[in-house]
Amino acid sequence: MQLDVSKALNAAGQELPFSGEVVLSDSVLMGEPIVFPAPAALHGLYASVGDAIHVRGQMTFPVRARCVRCLTESERTLTADFDATFALSPDPTDPDLYAYDGAWVDLSAMAADAAQLALPMQWLCNPACKGLCPLCGANRNVTSCSCRMEPAKHPLSALQQLLTEKEGKVEQAPQRREAATFASQDESEV
């Protein structure tokens, strides 16, 4: 989306409304493909501050991805807020500044960054997803399987057992030391 900012450049500090659409490129999240099936809808305000353009607003966009628990594809609409600054000559050490040229600001890179930041770390078809049965592979959201699940053994249970055994030995050790101390005292008195 190309935003004409010539009005803002002529009226410094005055916020002007805008709206439009940006096509987002499909991406990858934690090794899984993320699809943006329709353009993102943007709306907000922009203003010039010196030779920089400040843009803020909200973006709504559909996302389709595969659930990490049950592996079924699901689609939902997400919303992301954005607040960005565009400069004629951005500072290479400041990654938060976007570049613009002349009287046009391209909002595509900013929208792509906002979409990536709005994505959840793990995509779920719904928060109550039951996932797949680890034994038979059945989708437990659709059907219940008859697999008998043993309680999961904690990965550090062997360490817990060693510590418990060691604590038992530590409790016995002071008693032996006390007995040895009394014996040495008796020998010194003789």
Side-chain angles (χ1 to χ4, degrees), residues 140-157:
R140 294 187 291 190
N141 297 315
V142 177
T143 183
S144 60
C145 63
S146 60
C147 297
R148 184 173 174 186
M149 300 293 293
E150 296 293 324
K153 190 172 183 180
H154 192 276
L156 298 176
S157 60

Side-chain angles (χ1 to χ4, degrees), residues 6 14 16 25 68 72 110 115 128 135 156 160 167 176:
S6 57
Q14 181 182 356
L16 302 167
S25 299
V68 296
T72 58
M110 181 214 57
L135 298 176
L156 298 176
Q160 180 65 39
E167 286 174 2
R176 290 184 199 144

Side-chain angles (χ1 to χ4, degrees), residues 53-176:
I53 302 294
H54 185 81
V55 179
R56 64 184 176 91
Q58 194 172 63
M59 176 174 77
T60 305
F61 57 101
V63 183
R64 185 172 53 238
R66 194 164 61 170
C67 177
V68 296
R69 289 187 190 157
C70 68
L71 304 179
T72 58
E73 225 175 58
S74 64
E75 184 175 323
R76 67 175 176 254
T77 301
L78 299 179
T79 302
D81 293 329
F82 56 86
D83 192 345
T85 303
F86 293 81
L88 279 174
S89 53
D91 183 1
T93 61
D94 188 356
D96 293 333
L97 284 178
Y98 296 92
Y100 80 96
D101 187 30
W104 294 92
V105 171
D106 185 3
L107 299 178
S108 301
M110 181 214 57
D113 291 346
Q116 288 294 321
L117 291 172
L119 292 173
M121 290 299 289
Q122 291 187 329
W123 188 267
L124 297 174
C125 58
N126 70 61
C129 177
K130 296 176 184 175
L132 300 176
C133 173
L135 298 176
C136 70
N139 184 343
R140 294 187 291 190
N141 297 315
V142 177
T143 183
S144 60
C145 63
S146 60
C147 297
R148 184 173 174 186
M149 300 293 293
E150 296 293 324
K153 190 172 183 180
H154 192 276
L156 298 176
S157 60
L159 179 60
Q160 180 65 39
Q161 182 180 358
L162 287 173
L163 290 173
T164 305
E165 290 173 4
K166 198 172 193 178
E167 286 174 2
K169 290 178 183 177
V170 170
E171 288 176 10
Q172 295 172 0
Q175 295 171 356
R176 290 184 199 144

